[in-house]
Amino acid sequence: MNVRFQTPHQYVFVHENVKHLLLVWSKEAKKQLFLAEEEGDSLHLKYPGETYAEMVLDQVEPVFFRQLEVEDTTISVVLGATFHYQGRLIGMYYNREQPDRDLYFFALEGDRLEDIPDEEYEGAARTFLEEFPEYIGEESPD
């Protein structure tokens, strides 16, 4: 069975080691959050309750969608995962229009994205690939 929602805005992301599905309903300007569990080729969605959904959205919504200046162009990126590296919360972002392209990593400081120093960037990317091995088959991180 293949289920499709009436919104093209569906985003799977991992936050605090939990996989989530965010649905954004444009017409109603509403967001819905579900817990997403993979079993084989299936993705099982579970509504976590309003309190949990509000808590997670409060944490990720300010940094979920961003615009990046990359090589003289602006790209829209989406938060794909959060993880901890050297005591900091790191966000992995992917290109919204071309999700199979490069990955980008930033330290998350409240509602700001902070550049990771060059000497730590590779370590952060390596930590991400160790924690999320399903991304190893994709292009290497930027």
Side-chain angles (χ1 to χ4, degrees), residues 19-56:
K19 190 172 279 191
H20 300 86
L21 171 69
L22 175 65
L23 297 176
V24 180
W25 302 93
S26 302
K27 290 180 183 177
E28 294 86 14
K30 180 180 179 177
K31 296 178 175 83
Q32 289 181 299
L33 186 75
F34 296 91
L35 300 175
E37 298 173 359
E38 288 185 59
E39 290 182 19
D41 292 341
S42 298
L43 190 64
H44 295 270
L45 303 179
K46 209 162 58 168
Y47 182 66
E50 190 172 333
T51 302
Y52 178 87
E54 286 177 4
M55 179 189 69
V56 171

Side-chain angles (χ1 to χ4, degrees), residues 41-110:
D41 292 341
S42 298
L43 190 64
H44 295 270
L45 303 179
K46 209 162 58 168
Y47 182 66
E50 190 172 333
T51 302
Y52 178 87
E54 286 177 4
M55 179 189 69
V56 171
L57 287 175
D58 284 346
Q59 293 171 3
V60 300
E61 198 168 25
V63 295
F64 202 81
F65 300 106
R66 288 299 172 111
Q67 300 287 317
L68 297 182
E69 297 289 328
V70 179
E71 299 173 4
D72 300 328
T73 188
T74 301
I75 62 169
S76 295
V77 294
V78 177
L79 181 68
T82 63
F83 61 98
H84 293 275
Y85 177 73
Q86 294 188 346
R88 296 176 82 184
L89 184 63
I90 306 296
M92 180 282 288
Y93 286 82
Y94 62 90
N95 186 319
R96 191 174 184 173
E97 303 301 318
Q98 299 173 324
D100 295 335
R101 301 265 313 176
D102 299 326
L103 303 180
Y104 305 92
F105 298 91
F106 295 94
L108 302 178
E109 301 289 338

